[in-house]
Amino acid sequence: MAFSSIVVAAGTGSRAGGAKQWRPLGGKPVIRWSVEALLGAGCDEIIVVLSDGAEAEAATALEGLTSWRAVRGGAQRADSVRAGLAALLRTDRAVLIHDAARPFLKPELIDALLSALTTADGAIPALPIADTLKRGLDGTVTDTVDRTDLWRAQTPQAFMADRLITAYAVWPADETPTDDAAVVERDGGRIALVPGDPRLMKLTYPEDFAMAEAFIPKQTRVGTGFDVHRWGPGGAVWLCGVEIPHDQTLIGHSDADAGLHALTDAILGALAEGDIGDHFPPTDPKWKGAASDQFLLHAADMVTARGGRIIHVDVTLICERPKVKPHRLGMRERIADLLVLPLDAVSVKATTSEGLGFTGRNEGLAAQAAATIELPV
Ligand code: MG
């Protein structure tokens, strides 16, 4: 069943420390979760109600999504809903009014609301109240409230659009409704209660974001990387982001930091995003002599862009010389700094190859790495 939606995103988010509807959650802006859920459930007209000057943020947050357009909201939430209703092209069918700050909207709930609407003037998701309710004043309980028949109302709230428009038309100008169902109730309408979803919480305070992140299903991935560079004449060598005085240097197009190259490849491997050569072609003169920090930071940014995080990295350098041990802590600190990880999540190890092979003959240095990351499923 096709339906319209109004997504109220006009808040400036003073309590959440900035407009929360644009903040990233699990790799995408908060509002995008809801708009994607509505589109997935068959909604073909979404009015996004914005505060003044938020058009560019909305366009970025909803880039690539169809069937939505923006209108300017008002001072109160009800004014914003009225603006959204006025912009609807179709008023002879269902409309869902939803708060942009409730990201975890499930298709099953949308279906339940639309079904309930066939026998009621409105339908709202609601949760029973588990906690005992108290009235209090100045730090003292004044009363215990009977919680029988009390419900916590969530959004989206569903109505036939013309029914809601009629109800808003007769709502007293000097009163402010706290939700849309109240407007239809006042006009004599019957509102159906549909089982709500505890995860459909409204992100209100900064700490709500940490809880919401924890709700997003994640997978753990491990990637590995390997790199080799040849020794040549020089006076210092870059290893794991640290320059070490040495009687040779590693030869390469960039700074030839095999440790950071292996680590970059490990992260790209965990993302299944190719290898360092795909992202920084050695044929491109731009990367001649380049510091390998930027390769690592690029891979780390790709993890962040996917809504993930790096949990742990481990690098092994394989060489006879230089001695790595005196520089290990510096290398770990440098990598921890670049990846914004605690020091105990960054390991750098070294081994010789007992004089065997190209590393044993001091022809080159090899590095291998593993990266553990967490990504939204
Ligand atoms: Mg390399």
Side-chain angles (χ1 to χ4, degrees):
M1 165 170 153
F3 62 98
S4 302
S5 299
I6 295 170
V7 176
V8 183
T12 51
S14 47
R15 281 180 296 186
K20 56 207 169 194
Q21 59 270 32
W22 317 124
R23 278 181 56 175
L25 176 70
K28 55 187 172 186
V30 166
I31 189 175
R32 193 177 178 98
W33 287 83
S34 300
V35 172
E36 285 181 351
L38 290 164
L39 289 171
C43 184
D44 59 4
E45 181 187 30
I46 301 179
I47 310 292
V48 179
V49 189
L50 301 174
S51 59
D52 244 12
E55 288 80 3
E57 278 171 308
T60 303
L62 301 177
E63 191 182 350
L65 300 182
T66 57
S67 307
W68 70 274
R69 58 188 194 281
V71 302
R72 185 75 52 86
Q76 303 284 343
R77 184 184 180 284
D79 301 323
S80 294
V81 174
R82 282 183 208 261
L85 288 170
L88 287 177
L89 294 178
R90 294 276 303 271
T91 59
D92 59 343
R93 63 177 190 175
V95 63
L96 264 56
I97 317 286
H98 187 50
D99 293 326
R102 294 184 190 269
F104 300 132
L105 176 54
K106 296 275 171 18
E108 298 80 15
L109 178 64
I110 296 174
D111 288 347
L113 290 166
L114 293 173
S115 296
L117 210 48
T118 56
T119 56
D121 299 292
I124 64 170
L127 293 168
I129 293 170
D131 300 319
T132 297
L133 289 181
K134 301 286 188 191
R135 249 185 256 284
L137 194 64
D138 300 331
T140 303
V141 172
T142 56
D143 191 18
T144 298
V145 180
D146 180 4
R147 69 181 183 211
T148 314
D149 301 338
L150 286 183
W151 297 83
R152 293 195 285 137
Q154 300 180 309
T155 78
Q157 300 191 343
F159 310 90
M160 291 303 289
D162 42 18
R163 182 71 184 83
L164 183 58
I165 291 167
T166 306
Y168 261 110
V170 297
W171 178 267
D174 57 345
E175 289 184 45
T176 304
T178 55
D179 72 347
D180 305 294
V183 178
V184 176
E185 290 161 38
R186 181 78 68 92
D187 193 35
R190 187 179 88 80
I191 306 295
L193 286 171
V194 166
D197 181 349
R199 297 199 169 186
L200 194 52
M201 61 189 222
K202 187 172 186 173
L203 302 181
T204 306
Y205 302 101
E207 54 269 31
D208 294 344
F209 278 80
M211 200 190 302
E213 283 285 356
F215 284 160
I216 298 170
K218 307 269 192 345
Q219 61 180 199
T220 303
R221 293 180 171 198
V222 177
T224 66
F226 181 75
D227 195 32
V228 170
H229 281 268
R230 180 187 298 276
W231 288 114
V237 59
W238 283 93
L239 286 172
C240 292
V242 174
E243 191 175 33
I244 299 172
H246 189 46
D247 56 7
Q248 284 185 300
T249 194
L250 291 173
I251 308 300
H253 187 66
S254 65
D255 66 6
D257 187 332
L260 289 192
H261 293 183
L263 181 53
T264 301
D265 260 355
I267 296 169
L268 293 174
L271 290 169
E273 288 277 5
D275 60 35
I276 194 169
D278 295 330
H279 297 269
F280 303 97
T283 49
D284 189 336
K286 184 160 59 169
W287 310 121
K288 188 163 170 49
S292 297
D293 306 17
Q294 59 193 302
F295 306 154
L296 182 64
L297 290 174
H298 175 76
D301 285 347
M302 290 175 72
V303 176
T304 309
R306 295 262 292 265
R309 68 185 182 101
I310 298 169
I311 296 172
H312 170 259
V313 297
D314 182 17
V315 181
T316 303
L317 300 173
I318 305 158
C319 58
E320 303 292 327
R321 305 170 51 238
K323 281 205 177 314
V324 171
K325 199 168 184 179
H327 306 285
R328 267 171 56 176
L329 181 60
M331 292 173 175
R332 291 174 63 207
E333 286 172 342
R334 178 68 185 141
I335 293 170
D337 201 33
L338 288 167
L339 298 179
V340 197
L341 283 174
L343 193 59
D344 73 354
V346 178
S347 161
V348 173
K349 315 194 296 298
T351 184
T352 70
S353 54
E354 298 280 340
L356 299 172
F358 70 87
T359 51
R361 292 189 299 270
N362 256 319
E363 294 165 9
L365 175 146
Q368 60 184 39
T372 307
I373 70 170
E374 194 177 63
L375 281 186
V377 175

